[in-house]
Amino acid sequence: MTEFQNLHTHTTYCDGILSAEDMIKAALEKGCTSLGFSEHSHVPFDIYYSMGLEASEKYVREIRTLAKKYESQIEIFLGLERDFYTENIPEDLDYLIGALHYVKSNGQFVSVDAGVNHQKEMVDTFFGGDYYILAEEYFSSFSNIAKITGADIIGHFDLVAKYNFDGNLFDESHPRYVDAALCAMDEILKDCKLFEVNTGAMYRLNKPNPYPSVFLLKELCKRGGEVILSSDSHDGHSIGHKFEQMQPLLKTCGFTHIKRLTKSGFIDISL
């Protein structure tokens, strides 16, 4: 792609490795013409992964300042990846990505994406070794993501399958998994039609396909959902990762366009 937009970007405000300004410079080097910052919203039980409340206020001020500084070179948007379990969020945001990173079991919040060994241990400890129970719990909560977060974009819909390479952990065609995922999708679509096609795990884990999976993307298209490309970038090299390859894939799933955020709202970009 000669020019592109990425709205899912992290910095040292949470678990990214570059400052916001360095991410802008990296985006410019990549040919990115529009960049949105979307730090992890504050969750009180995981302060490493998310922004603190004071940092959230500083984040808003800095991104607005940088947007002005670089306005002649790149379009900058201020967003937030709002977790299902976040209560308070900053004001004056351009967009929200709704995401679920944890499931609650026996009064504990446990992460679904803290590493494959952690996930295996979590499934054994809290779900009797049954990945389908985990998936059912995850998608049951996720079905309410748009209502809870007010999301403009649905983030990494099937994050629960992050470490599932070629069915090494569970079968993604199993009726229990499929039913849980599609029921959640149907419920979300009542309030939010736009899902990100997230290449983050393709970059970090070398997964062959994005979130959502190809099967789920086809189902999303059938149901009238729409898509926007996202690289879920935590470093400069990942910005726009494999966006070129996503375009023909999305066409095979039935999509004719992707969305792009502008100062006037979301518009259609033909594939």
Side-chain angles (χ1 to χ4, degrees):
M1 299 173 72
T2 56
E3 59 178 53
F4 63 93
Q5 177 180 72
N6 181 63
L7 296 183
H8 197 152
T9 310
H10 298 287
T11 74
T12 48
Y13 274 105
C14 56
D15 60 343
I17 66 170
L18 295 179
S19 70
E21 186 160 18
D22 283 343
M23 286 298 278
I24 292 173
K25 292 176 181 178
L28 287 168
E29 290 179 2
K30 285 275 191 174
C32 180
T33 56
S34 180
L35 185 69
F37 288 93
S38 56
E39 303 293 13
H40 292 293
S41 61
H42 176 68
V43 285
F45 52 84
D46 193 345
I47 57 175
Y48 164 76
Y49 190 66
S50 64
M51 283 195 297
L53 294 177
E54 291 185 5
S56 299
E57 296 176 4
K58 182 182 177 184
Y59 163 67
V60 170
R61 292 195 300 270
E62 181 175 5
I63 301 305
R64 289 301 187 201
T65 300
L66 290 170
K68 187 69 174 176
K69 178 178 179 179
Y70 287 90
E71 64 182 348
S72 65
Q73 301 176 65
I74 188 171
E75 192 175 38
I76 300 294
F77 291 98
L78 172 63
L80 190 73
E81 184 175 359
R82 183 176 183 178
D83 192 87
F84 185 88
Y85 293 106
T86 292
E87 294 182 359
N88 299 313
I89 63 170
E91 298 180 353
D92 192 32
L93 299 172
D94 297 321
Y95 66 97
L96 287 170
I97 299 174
L100 177 65
H101 301 89
Y102 312 90
V103 290
K104 190 175 183 180
S105 180
N106 296 329
Q108 295 188 52
F109 294 96
V110 287
S111 173
V112 300
D113 69 335
V116 62
N117 291 331
H118 177 275
Q119 192 185 70
K120 288 178 179 178
E121 181 180 347
M122 179 257 286
V123 171
D124 288 340
T125 301
F126 295 99
F127 302 103
D130 189 335
Y131 265 89
Y132 302 110
I133 296 178
L134 167 63
E136 288 162 349
E137 290 292 324
Y138 171 84
F139 284 118
S140 176
S141 293
F142 208 107
S143 66
N144 295 306
I145 195 74
K147 291 183 176 70
I148 294 293
T149 66
D152 302 292
I153 303 167
I154 304 304
H156 38 59
F157 175 69
D158 50 347
L159 182 66
V160 70
K162 179 175 183 175
Y163 306 108
N164 193 42
F165 286 73
D166 297 321
N168 62 312
L169 299 175
F170 61 93
D171 180 3
E172 291 181 45
S173 67
H174 192 287
R176 287 174 62 192
Y177 182 82
V178 171
D179 289 349
L182 295 185
C183 285
M185 183 183 291
D186 288 339
E187 190 63 28
I188 292 166
L189 286 169
K190 295 175 183 177
D191 300 288
C192 182
K193 301 291 186 184
L194 185 56
F195 285 53
E196 67 171 4
V197 178
N198 183 318
T199 62
M202 299 177 76
Y203 174 77
R204 290 188 289 277
L205 300 178
N206 202 31
K207 286 203 79 170
N209 291 305
Y211 317 107
S213 68
V214 173
F215 168 76
L216 291 174
L217 283 170
K218 290 178 178 178
E219 292 298 322
L220 179 66
C221 187
K222 289 178 187 177
R223 288 161 162 77
E226 297 186 295
V227 290
I228 187 168
L229 293 177
S230 149
S231 50
D232 198 347
S233 296
H234 291 68
D235 63 41
H237 295 294
S238 61
I239 296 171
H241 183 69
K242 292 193 179 294
F243 278 12
E244 290 281 2
Q245 292 91 321
M246 291 302 99
Q247 294 187 66
L249 183 147
L250 289 172
K251 286 182 180 180
T252 66
C253 292
F255 294 99
T256 59
H257 65 272
I258 59 174
K259 288 290 189 178
R260 181 185 177 105
L261 182 61
T262 71
K263 297 299 184 182
S264 302
F266 287 97
I267 63 171
D268 294 343
I269 303 295
S270 297
L271 288 169

